[in-house]
Structure formats: structure tokens, C-alpha cells
Amino acid sequence: MSAFRDELEDLRNNREKALSQLYRHCCPSFIRWAIGKFKLSEHELIDLFHDAILIMLKNLESGRLSQLVASLCTYLFGIGKNLVMAFLRKHKKVRYFDDPLLLGNKDTDPGAEDAMIRQEEDEEVWKFLDELGEPCRTLLILTYEKGMTSKEIAEAMGYADADVVRQTRKRCLDKIRKKKF
Amino acid sequence: MNRIEQLIENYFSNSLTEKEAGELRELLGKDTEAAAEFAFQQRIAGQLRTQNLWKTEKEQLTASYQPGIVATTSATILRFPMLMRIAAALTVVVAATWFAISYFGKQPLEQVVAENIQPMKAVKDWGTLGAGTPLPPDEIKKAYDLYDAGQYAAAADLFAQVVPQEPDNLGHRLYYGICLLKVKRYPDAVGTLEPVTRADGKYYRLKTPALYYYGLALAGSGDKAKAREALERYIGTKDDDTPYSKQAQNVIDAL
């Protein structure tokens, strides 16, 4: 347990060195583990490892990562595994992101004025998202960009359960809604 | 969480089943509030997918640590094409199997020798030489009886007394040598049997079997070259019976 505490202290006090170690030793292990198991490319897995590192750092900053029950590498594997599962779902053949019936009336051509209004609104949404603090930023990225389930997010971000994630996400969405809509 | 919330969550995690997708379409068609919420979340998702909120942070990680990953040997191995990786893995498996068979699958030589010692039946000629022929001393008769009974250690103790008393009797020497083999006193057996391999005259029939036992004794002593030579001579002998050729060959194979 003491070794794990030291690892966490290193990450807090000497982040660059700790991250170097993780990239040198843990990242190749993660790639080796996942490449055979999930048939993803090395490039995709490195990208997912970066995501896992970012989530870990956000958790450290927010205080949700305050103690370890295993090594940091094991902790990263836990996050990475959920990211991989979400990635696989996102890229599977059957998907409903592109379902025209669920996407509304996008197949109809809006007028130039409407399109311009829409674009301006989107830019505002983007601005609000960019300015959104933690944990909302990470939570929304994991939900909508990465496609993780609430349970996976709870595990990755250290929330008690999926319901806490849903409530937190609802508050985050309300923040945006209040600002713009 | 109500049903529509569950379906929306499944939609964004791309875990909707076909049936659920149909259900979601139907519910959104009926419930305008839910449809508005869904559309709002879609816009957020659209923004997050086209823009990348983590772009700057990830670029920093890539610039700082990507070279470290590439430099590691294990990551370099992963760059091999799949076919090369399979070939490399097969090579390792074959080499490991060969190594295991060579080093662990092979019995120790001494064990092979012990398993291939076939004691020949003792020829006790004192009962066939006719009346008047003096019977051998009791310890000789007893030594042969023990030999026939398979009590080689006890027989060897008696032969150890008999052989010096009748040093020219190569018969005693041969059976004494076999007893020594059976109790794994291989160097002693080498010295005892060697004269029998040069037997002639009335003992010439002992010469060929003596080669077999002498070869085993040499193998048990670790003298592989001489053991091979003796055993090959035994197997190659044409002018006599060689009933233990198979056993001799087993030992040659293990040398």
C-alpha cells in the first residue's frame, strides 16, 4: 500500500517524471494487452491511453483520486478498458448515430438564413462547452464524444454509481441550457 | 431514470438494440418534450465530436511522451506486421518444445542403463560334468543361487570372495560383473567385465554377452565413447546370439 501511496505522491509532486514512467512502462503493457484482445491499432490504443491519462489527471485534480488500492498502471488499465469498450461500440457496424429518423429532419435542406442562425448557435454552444468547468467538461466528453455509459463513467471518474453520473450530467446540461436556451 | 432517458443514454453509448431504436423513434414522435431534450443533447454531442475539447491537452501529452512509447522495445515489437508476429510466436513455441524434449523429455543415462540390464541365466556346469567331478565350494553354489533368485547385492558379496579364489574362471567374473551392474557399481563392473570381453578357449562363448554388459558398465560410468564402441560390437556380432540387441540399442540411443 505504501508503494501505491508513493506513486500517487510522485504524480502530485513530480508529474512529469511520473507520467514518463507510466508512458514508458504502462502504455506498452496496455497496448500489448489490448491489441491482441480487441484488434485495435496501436495508434488508436495510444490515443485511448492519452484519454485515460487525462481522466486520471482530472480525477487527481478534483480529489476523486486520493488513494490507490493498486498501482497507478492498474488504475489506468481500469479506465482504459472502459474507454476501449466505448470505442468498440462507437465503431461497430450497427449504429444509430446516423439514423435519419433519430436525427430529425436533417435530410431537408434548410434555408441559408436558418443555416446561418444554426451555425451561430452552435458556435455559442461550443463556447459554453469550452468554458464549462470540471467535472462537467470531462463528463460530457466521456458521454457524448467517447460514448461511455454512465456505469463506465462512474468507474473511470470515481463516482459512487451510474445514478450519480446521471444526476451530475443533468446539472451540467442545465448549466448550458440556462446560458443559451 | 425513466424509459426515454435510458433509451437516450443507450443511443449516445451506441448500445441501442434494433428494437430499442424503434421504441426510441416511436417515443420521440409522441413526446415533444423528450424530442426537444434529445435534440439538445444531439447538438452538444455534435459539437463535442466535431470540435475536440481535449485537443490541446492531448497534443501536449503526445509531444511530451509519444517518443518514449515508440522507444520501448515492446512497443516496437507491436509494429511488426501480424504475419511476422505469428511467425515469431511459432518459432518460439517450436524452439521451446524442442528444448523441453531435449532436456526434460530425455531420461538420464544412468536410468536408461538400469532399465536395459537383462541378467543372463547362469550356467552352472558342475552338475553336468559326471560322477567324480568335485562339487564347488558352498559359497560358489550359494552365490549362483542368490544370482538366480535376483538377490544381486548378496550375490555380489559372495562373488567378491569367489573371484579372487579362481581368478581364471571368467564365468564367475561375468556373473559377478552382472551383479555389480544391477547394484549400480558401474566402475567396479567395468574392471570386472573387461577381461571377459577378451575371453577365448573354453570361455569364448562368454565373450559376446560380456561385450553387452561391459558396454552398459561403461555407459553407467559415463564413458560414452567406449560404451558405444562395445555395444556396437555386441550388436554387430554375427557368430553368436545377441538376444539383448534391442536393449543395447536403447542405451546407444541415449548416449
Side-chain angles (χ1 to χ4, degrees):
Chain A
M1 294 295 278
S2 166
F4 305 147
R5 197 163 51 234
D6 291 348
E7 262 195 299
L8 209 53
E9 282 304 303
D10 276 352
L11 188 62
R12 281 196 192 98
N13 303 324
N14 196 349
R15 176 171 296 192
E16 204 173 311
K17 186 184 159 206
L19 289 182
S20 285
Q21 289 285 326
L22 288 170
Y23 271 98
R24 190 170 298 122
H25 301 297
C26 192
C27 185
S29 302
F30 175 72
I31 293 169
R32 205 163 40 241
W33 167 74
I35 210 160
K37 207 172 169 68
F38 302 110
K39 309 279 183 290
L40 296 180
S41 73
E42 188 186 352
H43 174 78
E44 288 164 336
L45 289 167
I46 290 176
D47 198 52
L48 291 174
F49 191 80
H50 287 321
D51 289 341
I53 289 273
L54 280 177
I55 294 169
M56 178 190 73
L57 294 177
K58 305 282 181 199
N59 291 345
L60 188 73
E61 284 161 15
S62 69
R64 278 192 300 275
L65 172 56
S66 57
Q67 60 178 35
L68 288 169
V69 290
S71 68
L72 266 182
C73 189
T74 305
Y75 181 79
L76 282 171
F77 261 66
I79 299 173
K81 186 193 77 182
N82 282 329
L83 284 165
V84 167
M85 300 318 285
F87 184 91
L88 291 170
R89 280 199 308 272
K90 195 173 163 184
H91 292 87
K92 68 184 181 185
K93 280 182 184 170
V94 181
R95 40 189 276 170
Y96 294 96
F97 293 141
D98 313 318
D99 185 333
L101 290 171
L102 290 172
L103 287 173
N105 58 354
K106 279 197 173 172
D107 49 351
T108 60
D109 185 22
E113 197 181 346
D114 285 347
M116 185 63 79
I117 292 167
R118 176 93 178 191
Q119 192 182 330
E120 283 172 0
E121 281 179 355
D122 281 349
E123 280 170 12
E124 275 190 87
V125 170
W126 168 244
K127 189 167 163 274
F128 293 142
L129 279 170
D130 200 23
E131 289 169 357
L132 208 59
E134 293 296 344
C136 290
R137 263 172 74 107
T138 300
L139 207 154
L140 296 184
I141 288 169
L142 298 185
T143 304
Y144 298 113
E145 190 196 330
K146 303 298 174 192
M148 291 172 84
T149 63
S150 296
K151 184 171 178 288
E152 287 167 344
I153 294 170
E155 285 172 9
M157 291 184 73
Y159 285 107
D161 55 38
D163 281 338
V164 180
V165 171
R166 289 186 190 108
Q167 287 158 16
T168 312
R169 182 169 49 228
K170 192 169 183 305
R171 282 199 293 274
C172 295
L173 291 173
D174 285 344
K175 270 191 196 178
I176 301 173
R177 222 185 318 260
K178 273 180 199 162
K179 281 194 174 184
K180 173 60 196 148
F181 300 99
Chain B
M1 185 170 56
N2 61 33
R3 181 64 181 159
I4 187 85
E5 284 171 342
Q6 177 67 65
L7 292 172
I8 290 174
E9 184 176 321
N10 289 354
Y11 168 84
F12 286 111
S13 62
N14 204 27
S15 47
L16 274 182
T17 63
E18 196 179 346
K19 193 180 165 194
E20 285 175 333
E23 191 184 348
L24 179 60
R25 282 185 214 110
E26 197 183 327
L27 286 170
L28 292 176
K30 289 179 192 164
D31 187 338
T32 50
E33 200 180 323
E37 176 61 26
F38 182 61
F40 169 65
Q41 289 190 38
Q42 272 189 325
R43 287 181 71 185
I44 305 284
Q47 282 296 308
L48 286 167
R49 286 191 199 121
T50 50
Q51 314 283 339
N52 188 347
L53 273 180
W54 277 351
K55 192 179 174 198
T56 314
E57 289 149 305
K58 279 175 83 167
E59 278 174 356
Q60 279 172 0
L61 288 178
T62 305
S64 304
Y65 303 109
Q66 194 105 337
I69 307 168
V70 175
T72 57
T73 313
S74 46
T76 310
I77 287 167
L78 292 170
R79 287 175 190 284
F80 282 178
M82 182 58 82
L83 208 59
M84 279 182 73
R85 271 189 269 152
I86 291 168
L90 280 174
T91 308
V92 170
V93 169
V94 169
T97 309
W98 177 83
F99 179 84
I101 290 169
S102 304
Y103 287 87
F104 301 112
K106 205 168 177 177
Q107 288 178 306
L109 181 57
E110 198 177 316
Q111 191 181 333
V112 176
V113 170
E115 286 174 0
N116 284 281
I117 300 170
Q118 289 290 325
M120 60 188 283
K121 189 167 167 41
V123 178
K124 294 178 278 189
D125 55 4
W126 54 81
T128 61
L129 298 177
T133 307
L135 286 172
D138 283 347
E139 66 264 27
I140 293 179
K141 284 198 289 180
K142 197 171 178 190
Y144 278 89
D145 287 343
L146 287 168
Y147 176 90
D148 280 343
Q151 296 181 37
Y152 300 106
D157 289 342
L158 284 177
F159 276 122
Q161 297 168 31
V162 168
V163 169
Q165 289 171 24
E166 297 183 29
D168 298 329
N169 188 324
L170 296 183
H172 297 338
R173 192 173 271 274
L174 176 64
Y175 298 112
Y176 178 38
I178 296 170
C179 289
L180 292 172
L181 272 176
K182 290 298 285 182
V183 296
K184 297 185 180 176
R185 288 169 55 190
Y186 299 118
D188 292 339
V190 170
T192 304
L193 291 165
E194 194 275 333
V196 194
T197 63
R198 290 182 275 109
D200 55 11
K202 69 173 186 175
Y203 293 111
Y204 84 97
R205 289 190 69 85
L206 301 182
K207 183 177 175 177
T208 300
L211 274 174
Y212 160 64
Y213 296 112
Y214 178 59
L216 296 184
L218 287 166
S221 303
D223 193 340
K224 294 182 180 181
K226 281 189 178 176
R228 180 181 294 276
E229 188 191 338
L231 292 169
E232 284 176 350
R233 272 177 63 201
Y234 170 74
I235 292 170
T237 301
K238 303 279 190 215
D239 60 350
D240 206 338
D241 291 333
T242 52
Y244 309 128
S245 294
K246 190 181 166 203
Q247 287 82 355
Q249 189 60 53
N250 289 343
V251 176
I252 290 171
D253 292 343
L255 290 172

